[in-house]
Structures are given as C-alpha cells and as structure tokens.
Amino acid sequence: MLGRTGRRGSQHTWQKDAVLSALSNCDDFVSAQDLYRILSEDGQGIGLSTVYRQLNALADDGRADTIHLNDQQMFRICKDGEHHHHLVCENCGKTVEIEPPEEWVRNIAEEHGFSVISHTLEVFGLCPECQQLQKRIDGSGKVTDD
C-alpha cells in the first residue's frame, strides 16, 4: 500500500505497534524524544532513531498528525482519519481539533488566482490555563498570589 508520500508502507513490526500504542495513549502532541522516554520507561527496548522512523511512517500514512512547535517536530495520533486542523498551546502543547475552514481556503485561493491542491492550518496560542498562569507570573518569573 502506498502512503501519502508515494512510498510503500513499511512492514508490520513490534516496534511500529509499540510506537502506535504509546502515541495512542498521548492526548496532545508529543515529540519523538518524549515518546522514546515513555517507551523506555515502559521497558520497551526500542531506539530513538526507530521511534523517529516509525512516527514519520505513521504521519506519511495519514495515521498521525505532525506539527512543528518550538523548533521540534511533534506527533499526535490521528483519531478520526478525516482532514482537520488544530489549536495548539505553545506553552503546554494542549491541542484542540477545529473544523476545517474549507470554504475560506477556497475563497482566498480564488481571490489570488490559485487552485487548492492541499492545505494545512495550525493555530498557535495559549490555552486558558496557560493564559491564567501567565497573568499570575510577574516580571521576575515568580508566580504571584492573587
């Protein structure tokens, strides 16, 4: 079976199962290093390069989402398999799936004479909890008592 990149899907291995299972247990986007740490703490004898390779294969096959956050590639299991977009907290990584703005994308493309082949949209900001925390932190970096 060919993935989205046109590459033939990698074979089924215990490493792929372990990465997929660990990623499925993460609610928000996670880095390959963090997933590697989770797998290591769980006693899985899997190398970091294998974790990277399996995560990228899952993303190529459309089974995982990937974004870049704070100069790191982050991954999250693709729960519904449908095209979707995200709100992502730049502080804690909390992620919310949002409705795709398909009509807006088509209108903007048409306005500039483009036809849409594909698109991605990630909106980065601060979640409500991180906004509250930021409000409580003063200039010295200490949390203030409200």
Side-chain angles (χ1 to χ4, degrees):
M1 182 168 117
L2 293 179
R4 287 191 303 197
T5 61
R7 294 187 308 189
R8 194 159 292 284
S10 59
Q11 68 188 75
H12 188 83
T13 63
W14 72 266
Q15 293 96 334
K16 179 175 274 186
D17 287 342
V19 168
L20 184 58
S21 176
L23 189 61
S24 295
N25 290 325
C26 297
D27 292 328
D28 296 317
F29 281 93
V30 63
S31 69
Q33 294 91 345
D34 287 340
L35 199 63
Y36 168 74
R37 181 185 46 76
I38 291 167
L39 288 162
S40 295
E41 289 172 357
D42 195 36
Q44 300 287 335
I46 187 170
L48 179 58
S49 62
T50 301
V51 171
Y52 270 105
R53 189 169 42 257
Q54 294 301 330
L55 286 170
N56 281 304
L58 289 168
D60 286 347
D61 291 341
R63 297 174 69 192
D65 294 320
T66 182
I67 61 169
H68 284 84
L69 178 64
N70 300 324
D71 296 327
Q72 283 192 55
Q73 186 177 14
M74 308 287 280
F75 299 87
R76 180 175 176 219
I77 199 72
C78 201
K79 292 184 170 58
D80 61 10
E82 296 293 321
H83 184 74
H84 56 273
H85 303 282
H86 307 100
L87 291 171
V88 182
C89 180
E90 286 191 338
N91 187 52
C92 70
K94 179 179 180 177
T95 306
V96 176
E97 289 187 6
I98 58 175
E99 287 293 318
E102 304 302 330
E103 186 175 329
W104 175 80
V105 169
R106 279 192 302 277
N107 290 341
I108 291 294
E110 287 176 11
E111 183 179 313
H112 296 280
F114 280 70
S115 64
V116 177
I117 296 171
S118 69
H119 69 274
T120 59
L121 176 67
E122 314 304 334
V123 180
F124 297 92
L126 294 176
C127 69
E129 293 82 13
C130 290
Q131 288 177 57
Q132 289 297 332
L133 181 62
Q134 187 177 41
K135 287 178 185 176
R136 293 178 40 217
I137 296 177
D138 66 19
S140 66
K142 295 180 184 174
V143 175
T144 60
D145 293 324
D146 290 336

